[in-house]
Amino acid sequence: MDANRAKTIMTLALPIIGGMVSQNILNLIDTAMVGHLGDNALAAVGIGGFATFMATAFITGLSSGVQAMAARRLGEGQTDKTAIPLNGGVLLAIAMALPLTGLLFFATPSLFPYLMSEPAVIAVGVPYVQVRMLGIAATGVNFVFRGYWNGVNLSKLYMRTLVLMHITNIILNYILIFGKFGAPELGATGAAIGTTASLYVGSAYYISMGFVHAREGGFFSGLPDKQTILTMLRLSIPTSLQNFFFAAGMTTFFWIVGKLGTAELAASQVLVNLLLVALLPGIGFGLAAASLVGQALGRRDKSDAKQWGWDVMRLATVVVALLALPSFIFPDFFLGWFLHNPETLEIARLPMRMIAAGIALDVAGLVLMNALLGAGDARRVMVVSILMQWAVNLPLAYLLGVHLGYGLIAVWLVQLTYRAIQSGIFILLWKQGTWADIEV
């Protein structure tokens, strides 16, 4: 890879990575704050967070459709039409979110006990999830704008907005979790209020930036036509289904771990958040690959599109492996910020090292998965992801970890093995190159 291509990748990817790292740092700060409330609160927020992810999955999938279409229009030179998919995405996100919010808010007290049977965890988790449900519309709008900014090489706006959201969230969390400055002490529910409020702050800022930076692309200039909506749905529905089943799978993963004990569940909540510290930069590289691939296909340069996938993958694996190395060598340093119970820390130590050792291969698959989405190959990505998680990972995790009694180490070993196999499949799909003929 020559220096110019590496510079192009980093120029596009660094703001995305910065935004994603800052997003996960925010999650870690939330986790550290809630960790002071004990294992029950930590477990409730962990499983509640993935339940929220599952609830928003159908809407967040719109992001990939908007990004693929905006990048393709930019590559084709139709700069006055790049924001038309954005208009459609915002409308669809709000239309889907409003009834979903009402339904899930009132259904949460009945549904949450299916995820966790511990009464103390349920008592904390139900109000936490209910408040998070109120942010579904803002989550959808934020993801749609993220897809657009990444697709038209304005990822710095994505990072700028996330920084604003994070500052808002940290301040509100500190005040509302611990009852500072005369505010009530709301515990985990305070964390949910802070997060939800920050999502709406981000949405408002995104819309204001849209009038400045997307107006020439057609932002708010009119309703998208039927073909634009149909194309967006064709690209987004498979990703939405993939996101839903992934979120449901992670929620099921936490349910399986919960069968092993509350300490194991609390440890896994921290492990997942720490995993994302290394993993989210890889996703950031993947989103950059999606844009570069889509723009190259818009220019009808299939060879260049394929090379962008390989180049981004190579760079991403090196960067993420280096980021993960300290956590392999010094696991207690990182875990100790969040786990204050020595027994829980002991449980998490070996899985932490396992995660760090396998992260590079995982990132290679993530980059090429997003590159395939950028080319419009959402259906095959969906099939691979759902089958690997639900036919391989979850059954084996339950069998080995719970039924046969091998515990948390076995559960995490299965998790990392399935991710490695999935990465190998995405590498093979990218090498085949049939994705290059998909029209967007």
Side-chain angles (χ1 to χ4, degrees), residues 256-382:
I256 291 171
V257 173
K259 295 291 184 181
L260 304 175
T262 300
E264 285 82 358
L265 184 58
S268 292
Q269 150 70 358
V270 172
L271 287 167
V272 167
N273 276 293
L274 289 173
L275 168 63
L276 292 176
V277 170
L279 209 56
L280 284 179
I283 298 174
F285 273 110
L287 292 173
S291 294
L292 293 167
V293 168
Q295 292 166 19
L297 291 175
R299 299 190 300 269
R300 305 297 179 185
D301 192 340
K302 298 179 182 180
S303 176
D304 190 45
K306 190 171 190 177
Q307 190 59 44
W308 277 124
W310 295 128
D311 288 346
V312 177
M313 183 198 76
R314 293 187 186 101
L315 188 58
T317 53
V318 172
V319 170
V320 173
L322 291 174
L323 287 174
L325 185 60
S327 62
F328 180 83
I329 301 173
F330 309 109
D332 285 17
F333 173 79
F334 296 94
L335 291 168
W337 287 92
F338 314 100
L339 298 174
H340 307 289
N341 184 326
E343 294 180 0
T344 309
L345 179 63
E346 177 68 26
I347 289 171
R349 185 178 294 117
L350 181 56
M352 179 74 170
R353 284 195 161 123
M354 293 162 57
I355 290 167
I359 195 70
L361 182 57
D362 200 350
V363 164
L366 279 174
V367 168
L368 294 182
M369 180 190 79
N370 281 279
L372 288 164
L373 292 175
D377 200 359
R379 186 174 298 176
R380 288 201 299 177
V381 169
M382 174 194 70

Side-chain angles (χ1 to χ4, degrees), residues 57-406:
F58 278 106
I59 299 175
T60 58
L62 293 169
S63 176
S64 64
V66 171
Q67 180 170 351
M69 294 179 71
R72 192 69 68 95
R73 298 295 90 79
L74 183 63
E76 292 167 349
Q78 300 186 60
T79 55
D80 60 326
K81 297 181 179 180
T82 56
I84 300 302
L86 173 62
N87 296 341
V90 170
L91 289 174
L92 286 172
I94 294 174
M96 294 166 66
L98 293 179
L100 190 62
T101 297
L103 174 65
L104 293 179
F105 181 88
F106 292 106
T108 294
S110 299
L111 295 177
F112 193 86
Y114 288 101
L115 304 176
M116 185 65 189
S117 58
E118 182 66 38
V121 177
I122 294 172
V124 178
V126 168
Y128 177 86
V129 172
Q130 284 184 307
V131 174
R132 292 296 305 273
M133 291 299 107
L134 299 177
I136 291 177
T139 300
V141 171
N142 289 351
F143 268 80
V144 166
F145 269 97
R146 185 191 79 174
Y148 176 74
W149 298 134
N150 293 342
V152 298
N153 300 336
L154 288 174
S155 53
K156 61 183 180 181
L157 300 180
Y158 163 58
M159 180 178 177
R160 186 186 304 172
T161 309
L162 278 181
V163 170
L164 173 63
M165 291 167 59
H166 297 344
I167 292 172
T168 303
N169 195 14
I170 289 170
I171 293 172
L172 290 177
N173 277 7
Y174 177 72
I175 293 172
L176 296 174
I177 291 174
F178 303 111
K180 302 297 182 179
F181 307 111
E185 184 178 342
L186 300 176
T189 302
I193 294 171
T195 300
T196 301
S198 70
L199 289 169
Y200 280 99
V201 169
S203 294
Y205 188 68
Y206 270 139
I207 291 171
S208 68
M209 297 301 289
F211 284 107
V212 176
H213 296 282
R215 196 65 171 172
E216 294 182 359
F219 180 62
F220 265 44
S221 63
L223 296 174
D225 59 25
K226 180 180 177 181
Q227 187 57 47
T228 298
I229 294 294
L230 290 176
T231 301
M232 184 182 302
L233 290 174
R234 175 172 61 84
L235 296 173
S236 300
I237 286 176
T239 304
S240 295
L241 288 171
Q242 177 191 341
N243 288 348
F244 174 80
F245 279 100
F246 175 77
M250 288 304 298
T251 304
T252 304
F253 172 80
F254 278 118
W255 175 80
I256 291 171
V257 173
K259 295 291 184 181
L260 304 175
T262 300
E264 285 82 358
L265 184 58
S268 292
Q269 150 70 358
V270 172
L271 287 167
V272 167
N273 276 293
L274 289 173
L275 168 63
L276 292 176
V277 170
L279 209 56
L280 284 179
I283 298 174
F285 273 110
L287 292 173
S291 294
L292 293 167
V293 168
Q295 292 166 19
L297 291 175
R299 299 190 300 269
R300 305 297 179 185
D301 192 340
K302 298 179 182 180
S303 176
D304 190 45
K306 190 171 190 177
Q307 190 59 44
W308 277 124
W310 295 128
D311 288 346
V312 177
M313 183 198 76
R314 293 187 186 101
L315 188 58
T317 53
V318 172
V319 170
V320 173
L322 291 174
L323 287 174
L325 185 60
S327 62
F328 180 83
I329 301 173
F330 309 109
D332 285 17
F333 173 79
F334 296 94
L335 291 168
W337 287 92
F338 314 100
L339 298 174
H340 307 289
N341 184 326
E343 294 180 0
T344 309
L345 179 63
E346 177 68 26
I347 289 171
R349 185 178 294 117
L350 181 56
M352 179 74 170
R353 284 195 161 123
M354 293 162 57
I355 290 167
I359 195 70
L361 182 57
D362 200 350
V363 164
L366 279 174
V367 168
L368 294 182
M369 180 190 79
N370 281 279
L372 288 164
L373 292 175
D377 200 359
R379 186 174 298 176
R380 288 201 299 177
V381 169
M382 174 194 70
V383 171
V384 171
S385 298
I386 292 175
L387 286 179
M388 286 301 302
Q389 187 178 30
W390 285 89
V392 178
N393 175 40
L394 295 174
L396 287 178
Y398 184 83
L399 174 65
L400 296 177
V402 179
H403 185 68
L404 296 180
Y406 290 108

